[in-house]
Amino acid sequence: EAGVTQSPTHLIKTRGQQATLRCSPISGHTSVYWYQQALGLGLQFLLWYDEGEERNRGNFPPRFSGRQFPNYSSELNVNALELEDSALYLCASSSTGGPSYEQYFGPGTRLTVT
Amino acid sequence: RKEVEQDPGPFNVPEGATVAFNCTYSNSASQSFFWYRQDCRKEPKLLMSVYSSGNEDGRFTAQLNRASQYISLLIRDSKLSDSATYLCVVNFYTGGFKTIFGAGTRLFVKA
């Protein structure tokens, strides 16, 4: 069974640009979560989508947004990039029910903002 | 006070040793708990869920103490391959589910 996939693996952008990151959950999973892990820091919760709707978001500014498509894949958009947005962005999925269920992570997208 | 706290370590142990990590949480309404391991520059991988009655998976034992608000992970007969960062995860509901990862405990197992 295929795991969570993310694309691209690496992304280099300049300050002020927009970045789009993509995630495909494990087949049968309807919940998708996004996390940010800056170098040397812990995972910070960004967004949770379930059944196409945003269910919760972490303490991040509105320029971090996303959506979930009918096939449950998801996109994270970061507008007006800042240098401190440089981090590993991890996507995870779980079966219906949300965070009480085990989350499985993709390999991440490493975003570098110069 | 942080919502989820872990001793960052590092814990340096010889092969074959038993090592235990604790993770404390502040929200008494916390509902589900997990342990993950994360290797350097890799994604976290689920190690085990933590159940109220405690649970064991091979050399790994997880326990939950709701009264004192902590979870623990015990690793017996440590292997070199156990070297990693161990992350605890706490989920609780406050008008919406919130998932908090601990900052992780670093473990080095040496030959």
Side-chain angles (χ1 to χ4, degrees), chain A residues 3-33:
Chain A
V4 177
T5 59
Q6 292 187 246
S7 63
T9 305
H10 294 91
L11 190 57
I12 299 174
K13 294 284 186 179
T14 56
R15 199 168 53 179
Q17 285 189 314
Q18 180 198 39
T20 297
L21 289 64
R22 295 180 177 83
C23 170
S24 290
I26 290 171
S27 177
H29 285 187
T30 61
S31 275
V32 170
Y33 314 81

Side-chain angles (χ1 to χ4, degrees), chain B residues 71-106:
Chain B
I71 62 173
S72 63
L73 178 68
L74 182 79
I75 305 175
R76 289 181 298 277
D77 188 23
S78 298
K79 311 289 185 194
L80 295 175
S81 57
D82 293 334
S83 297
T85 297
Y86 290 83
L87 308 172
C88 68
V89 180
V90 177
N91 292 309
F92 54 91
Y93 188 84
T94 54
F97 261 112
K98 198 169 178 183
T99 296
I100 306 291
F101 274 76
T105 297
R106 197 81 189 271

Side-chain angles (χ1 to χ4, degrees), chain B residues 19-59:
Chain B
V19 61
F21 310 133
N22 279 346
C23 168
T24 59
Y25 59 93
S26 60
N27 192 317
S28 59
S30 296
Q31 297 187 333
S32 59
F33 310 86
F34 304 91
W35 283 103
Y36 283 76
R37 67 169 282 166
Q38 186 173 28
D39 295 289
C40 190
R41 297 178 71 83
K42 298 278 193 179
E43 74 273 23
K45 290 192 186 298
L46 179 67
L47 188 61
M48 57 200 305
S49 306
V50 186
Y51 303 122
S52 296
S53 54
N55 46 303
E56 189 174 305
D57 183 2
R59 298 182 293 110

